[in-house]
Amino acid sequence: MKNPIATINLNNGKKIVLELRPDYAYNEVCSFIRTAQKGYYNNFAIQRIVPDCWIDVSYNAFFRKDCQYFLPNRIAEESLGNIKVPEFGDVCFGYFSDTELTGTEFFFPLKRLDNLVGKCPVFGQIIEGLDELKRINKLETYPNPFECVEINVPRTPEIIVSVEIETYSETYPEPEKIIPDTLPSNWPVFA
């Protein structure tokens, strides 16, 4: 079975291509595929750059009610105890708590992040587009303080135009989700 491929098309005509790794984080891959297939990553601006640390695509569930869920943190179980250390060239899901991961929010580490082992699962590797991450890392940003979290927003928006998924005819199910009773304060409220 071939691993699925995700192509992130950017507004400058460049792309970042990911080999998704269900062998590292199956439920997370399912969540990413479903979110991409529904078009929720399309036309979305990269929201946060922590220079030389990571590029965070979202910290607010993409302003969509359908993206407001968590995933159970089963990193140790899914990796059979061989947990991949997040590092440059990987793509990871975000951390929410020791038992929950963000359901749709992902980021690109710009260096080895030993402090995130067991917290932020690696669910894929970049097979094309590392130079784009290096370029995005160097963009001019402005601070947008939010609840004591450093958020550096690119002055010129970097837009994900679309995300294309190739599953090689494999079917990936809906992910196992945890719907929170209380939403994080940075997620939008829908009537």
Side-chain angles (χ1 to χ4, degrees), residues 20-185:
L20 304 180
R21 297 295 303 266
D23 58 321
Y24 287 174
Y26 184 79
N27 198 46
E28 292 78 2
V29 166
C30 291
S31 186
F32 182 85
I33 287 173
R34 288 296 192 201
T35 305
Q37 288 174 333
K38 292 176 181 177
Y40 293 161
Y41 297 135
N42 296 354
N43 301 309
F44 196 84
I46 292 172
Q47 292 189 314
R48 180 180 179 199
I49 300 169
V50 179
D52 301 319
C53 198
W54 66 72
I55 296 168
D56 196 354
V57 177
S58 173
Y59 52 90
N60 57 27
F62 297 92
F63 299 106
R64 294 184 179 270
K65 188 166 182 59
D66 286 351
C67 294
Q68 293 182 333
Y69 62 87
F70 299 120
L71 302 173
N73 185 344
R74 288 201 218 102
I75 300 169
E77 177 187 329
E78 288 185 339
S79 66
L80 302 176
N82 186 19
I83 301 172
K84 170 85 171 76
V85 177
E87 59 190 328
F88 183 61
D90 292 334
V91 58
C92 305
F93 262 92
Y95 173 82
F96 184 74
S97 74
D98 289 341
T99 58
E100 298 168 325
L101 309 168
T102 58
T104 57
E105 298 169 10
F106 66 96
F107 70 96
F108 298 104
L110 297 170
K111 65 178 184 178
R112 185 178 170 100
L113 299 170
D114 291 293
N115 60 318
L116 297 182
V117 174
K119 294 181 178 181
C120 297
V122 173
F123 71 94
Q125 268 86 43
I126 297 167
I127 57 175
E128 182 182 334
L130 288 174
D131 287 344
E132 275 304 290
L133 291 184
K134 291 176 185 175
R135 180 189 65 79
I136 293 169
N137 178 46
K138 299 299 182 192
L139 292 176
E140 184 180 354
T141 61
Y142 64 89
N144 181 17
F146 180 82
E147 293 188 13
C148 303
V149 175
E150 179 186 4
I151 297 173
N152 302 301
V153 180
R155 286 203 180 273
T156 303
E158 291 291 320
I159 310 292
I160 294 173
V161 175
S162 64
V163 177
E164 301 167 11
I165 302 290
E166 174 56 68
T167 64
Y168 302 103
S169 300
E170 276 299 313
T171 301
Y172 290 86
E174 284 287 333
E176 180 183 342
K177 301 175 184 179
I178 300 169
I179 307 299
D181 293 328
T182 304
L183 296 177
S185 59

